[in-house]
Amino acid sequence: MKTTMVFLIVSAVMMPLATILGGCSFETGISYDPSSENAIIRIKEVKGDNTVFELYGNGVIRVRRDIFESKVESGQLSQRQVKQILNHVINKLRIGELQSSYPKEFIPGIEMYPNMELILEVNIDGFNKHISFAYSNVCDELEYFLEEGRIDRQAFKQLNRLKAVFDYLLEYKF
């Protein structure tokens, strides 16, 4: 009985500690080219090449928080902040598991204007992900489209995760 109790106590202490240490070890393992020319995360319009979000290896960040406006906010992030963003997008939101394309037709019957086509690119050492998607696929009406039957539960989960990445990047405070 005492042995079982000791095992449970040790397990209860060691599991969270291993999780914390495991998370920290990956964050320090993220590597990328820190040059000012290296865009490690970018969201841009397919037509017109207007950028919505840019994060460069040197920490320069540019965001158009309202994608229908031309106003761009820019700033400078520390290397730690850059790694936090990368860790969140790659590990917590699991962008690598998403499809490479979510066209306008992914949600049938959407009449949204403007419904720009966007591309999200994440490029770091050992990880590259490119996702093209229509703006309507990350809009605030996803739950309504699920209830209406325009998308199934699996499509909703994927689009919701893509929306989470999109929102996280556009709402990142610096």
Side-chain angles (χ1 to χ4, degrees):
M1 183 75 168
K2 283 186 177 183
T3 307
T4 305
M5 195 65 138
V6 169
F7 175 75
L8 290 174
I9 292 171
V10 169
S11 296
V13 171
M14 293 306 288
M15 288 179 77
L17 183 61
T19 303
I20 291 169
L21 293 176
C24 293
S25 67
F26 180 80
E27 189 170 317
T28 59
I30 293 177
S31 64
Y32 54 90
D33 176 3
S35 71
S36 61
E37 297 84 35
N38 180 33
I40 54 179
I41 301 179
R42 179 181 294 163
I43 302 173
K44 64 181 181 176
E45 293 180 39
V46 172
K47 295 177 183 169
D49 257 355
N50 291 326
T51 57
V52 176
F53 180 92
E54 293 176 303
L55 176 60
Y56 289 88
N58 66 348
V60 169
I61 185 171
R62 293 186 189 103
V63 181
R64 251 180 39 208
R65 298 204 190 271
D66 181 345
I67 68 170
F68 301 111
E69 299 290 326
S70 59
K71 181 182 174 192
V72 176
E73 294 179 30
S74 60
Q76 180 71 42
L77 302 180
S78 69
Q79 184 179 8
R80 182 174 179 262
Q81 289 172 305
V82 171
K83 286 186 178 186
Q84 283 176 335
I85 289 173
L86 289 169
N87 184 50
H88 191 81
V89 168
I90 295 169
N91 294 322
K92 290 195 170 78
L93 297 175
R94 300 181 321 269
I95 192 172
E97 296 174 4
L98 294 174
Q99 295 175 192
S100 60
S101 179
Y102 296 92
K104 290 179 184 178
E105 301 78 33
F106 198 78
I107 303 175
I110 300 299
E111 298 296 329
M112 179 183 278
Y113 181 81
N115 189 12
M116 62 186 71
E117 293 180 44
L118 303 165
I119 187 160
L120 166 62
E121 303 168 331
V122 178
N123 296 305
I124 62 169
D125 297 342
F127 182 86
N128 295 309
K129 185 69 178 185
H130 300 263
I131 302 172
S132 61
F133 62 98
Y135 177 69
S136 59
N137 291 334
V138 293
C139 70
D140 292 330
E141 304 298 320
L142 292 178
E143 226 169 272
Y144 170 74
F145 296 146
L146 175 65
E147 291 170 5
E148 197 176 65
R150 292 186 189 207
I151 56 175
D152 62 17
R153 175 69 56 191
Q154 181 64 24
F156 173 77
K157 287 178 182 178
Q158 287 216 359
L159 292 177
N160 209 30
R161 191 163 347 136
L162 178 60
K163 180 180 176 10
V165 171
F166 185 79
D167 289 348
Y168 174 77
L169 294 174
L170 266 57
E171 295 170 6
Y172 189 82
K173 303 290 185 218
F174 52 90

